[in-house]
Amino acid sequence: MDSRLRYFKPHSARIEKSIADEILYSLDCKQKFINSKFFYDSKGSALFEKICKLPEYYPTRTELSLLESLQDDLQKYVKTGCRLVELGSGASVKTQLLLDVLARYDGPLEYFPIDISDILVESSEQLLATYKKLHVTGIIDTYEGGLEFLKRFDQKKNLVIFLGSSYGNFTPKDGRDFLKTIHNTIKPGDLFLIGLDLTKDNHTLESAYNDSQGVTAEFNLNILSRINNELDADFDVTNFEHVAVYDTKQQRIEMHVKSLVDQTVIISKSGKTIYLKKNETIRTEYSYKFSLDQIQKLLKDAGFIILQTWQDEKNYYSLTLASRV
């Protein structure tokens, strides 16, 4: 797009087709679900920014505080010429704190966000205005596709970050497979920084997903509006309500939209009709929580060497830095 900003869409046609296929498949299952990655259209992203500032929602401010405190520690591991690769995109303070570490070195400052959404453009422009020597290469693709593209791109060292406890959205099997994919696609000497939410009392967890202002409810229901807009469906959002509960045994928050009436929904772009009974739910998110021992095992089983782990004073959240040897 200019000398400091460029984008690649390695599998754009396939992505557009797979979104429709994936949603149609998931709404046809016995337990209907919509993958949480579809939360983040422009409105969903704006609502999530509001969620991050809510008093009940501790993960963002806790992770931010940890990132502020680890900057000097991180510099012990990061070398000159290392670029920042983010799974997900953002111009947030968290991204900037890590760019600040890399900016301490001479030479180019590079940022490679990988995201399925075109929202990359707006967030990258904000960063370019802040960092005058920054060069952004956006990869609009799935995380797996973007990492595979990056593997073939060049031989520079990377600091790959996966923040916001986004890993918790995976099922256990999918999460293990994803960590192995990351390990197998990054190069020896690359670094991987992951933020994960820790197990804690039920009240704190459920309050974080049922805020008093109703922003999380609006965010959750917006996923139906996105399907209306992109697949020409006719979900009546007023016929659904937000539900979020913590399953102690499974160590996960489950977020659903619950049908308040018997209803049918037509997805015109595919000619598909969805039938919903009163009180039937569509699951929109799992958010798994972890113990420190579980985190270490997950990373080691995927082949990573753990370099350092940071956690806050309340033991609410952790950041773990690992590498591939």
Side-chain angles (χ1 to χ4, degrees), residues 8-23 37-38 114-118 139-143 145-146 226 230-231:
F8 293 95
K9 293 186 177 183
H11 307 104
S12 57
R14 191 172 72 195
I15 289 170
E16 289 169 9
K17 184 175 184 296
S18 68
I19 289 174
D21 290 345
E22 187 172 339
I23 288 175
K37 66 188 176 186
F38 297 120
I114 301 173
D115 201 294
I116 200 170
S117 170
D118 284 355
I139 305 172
I140 300 174
D141 203 340
T142 62
Y143 294 152
R226 180 179 183 184
E230 297 189 15
L231 298 183

Side-chain angles (χ1 to χ4, degrees), residues 75-294:
Q75 196 167 14
K76 295 185 297 186
Y77 302 103
V78 175
K79 305 300 182 185
T80 303
C82 185
R83 71 159 65 94
L84 182 65
V85 177
E86 185 167 15
L87 303 179
S89 66
S92 69
V93 176
K94 291 184 290 187
T95 305
Q96 293 181 41
L97 285 170
L98 292 163
L99 285 172
D100 287 343
V101 174
L102 300 181
R104 295 178 184 180
Y105 296 100
D106 293 330
L109 180 61
E110 293 186 82
Y111 174 55
F112 279 52
I114 301 173
D115 201 294
I116 200 170
S117 170
D118 284 355
I119 198 167
L120 279 173
V121 176
E122 182 180 347
S123 60
S124 297
E125 288 174 345
Q126 294 172 21
L127 287 172
L128 289 169
T130 303
Y131 297 90
K132 300 307 179 186
K133 69 173 185 176
L134 179 64
H135 292 260
V136 176
T137 301
I139 305 172
I140 300 174
D141 203 340
T142 62
Y143 294 152
E144 295 87 346
L147 287 169
E148 191 64 34
F149 176 83
L150 186 64
K151 183 179 182 180
R152 293 175 168 80
F153 191 76
D154 62 24
Q155 293 303 307
K156 288 187 178 180
K157 296 295 186 226
N158 301 299
L159 167 60
V160 180
I161 62 173
F162 195 31
L163 302 179
S165 197
S166 298
Y167 176 82
N169 299 146
F170 288 110
T171 63
K173 180 185 182 304
D174 289 345
R176 289 191 296 269
D177 291 345
F178 184 63
L179 286 177
K180 289 178 181 176
T181 296
I182 295 174
H183 177 269
N184 293 336
T185 50
I186 65 175
K187 299 183 293 294
D190 282 354
L191 299 173
F192 177 51
L193 181 68
I194 186 169
L196 291 169
D197 200 5
L198 300 176
T199 52
K200 58 188 70 65
D201 66 279
N202 288 27
H203 175 73
T204 299
L205 285 165
E206 291 192 346
S207 295
Y209 293 83
N210 291 286
D211 65 276
S212 58
Q213 297 179 43
V215 182
T216 309
E218 186 180 359
F219 170 75
N220 193 17
L221 292 166
N222 180 65
I223 202 168
L224 301 179
S225 298
R226 180 179 183 184
I227 295 173
N228 285 347
N229 294 335
E230 297 189 15
L231 298 183
D232 196 16
D234 65 350
F235 280 100
D236 183 346
V237 178
T238 63
N239 284 340
F240 293 85
E241 71 176 6
H242 161 76
V243 177
V245 294
Y246 183 62
D247 184 328
T248 305
K249 184 177 180 180
Q250 298 293 334
Q251 293 181 205
R252 70 188 182 201
I253 285 281
E254 289 193 13
M255 206 150 75
H256 299 252
V257 290
K258 184 170 77 172
S259 178
L260 300 175
V261 296
D262 293 337
Q263 57 182 306
T264 60
V265 177
I266 298 172
I267 302 178
S268 297
K269 191 168 278 190
S270 67
K272 184 84 174 177
T273 300
I274 307 297
Y275 300 92
L276 288 145
K277 296 179 180 179
K278 182 178 180 180
N279 296 324
E280 184 178 356
T281 69
I282 301 173
R283 190 188 73 242
T284 53
E285 183 175 65
Y286 282 146
S287 184
Y288 282 85
K289 314 303 172 184
F290 304 89
S291 69
L292 290 175
D293 286 344
Q294 287 173 327

Side-chain angles (χ1 to χ4, degrees), residues 20-75:
D21 290 345
E22 187 172 339
I23 288 175
L24 290 170
Y25 164 78
S26 66
L27 289 177
D28 205 31
C29 292
K30 184 175 181 181
Q31 167 60 73
K32 296 176 176 63
F33 70 97
I34 303 168
N35 193 301
S36 58
K37 66 188 176 186
F38 297 120
F39 277 132
Y40 301 100
D41 61 356
S42 58
K43 183 179 179 182
S45 297
L47 285 168
F48 186 69
E49 289 297 318
K50 290 180 68 175
I51 289 171
C52 292
K53 298 173 184 176
L54 294 169
E56 299 97 332
Y57 195 76
Y58 62 86
T60 300
R61 63 174 175 270
T62 307
E63 186 177 58
L64 179 59
S65 177
L66 284 173
L67 286 167
E68 289 173 336
S69 67
L70 65 74
Q71 283 184 298
D72 289 339
D73 285 345
L74 191 59
Q75 196 167 14

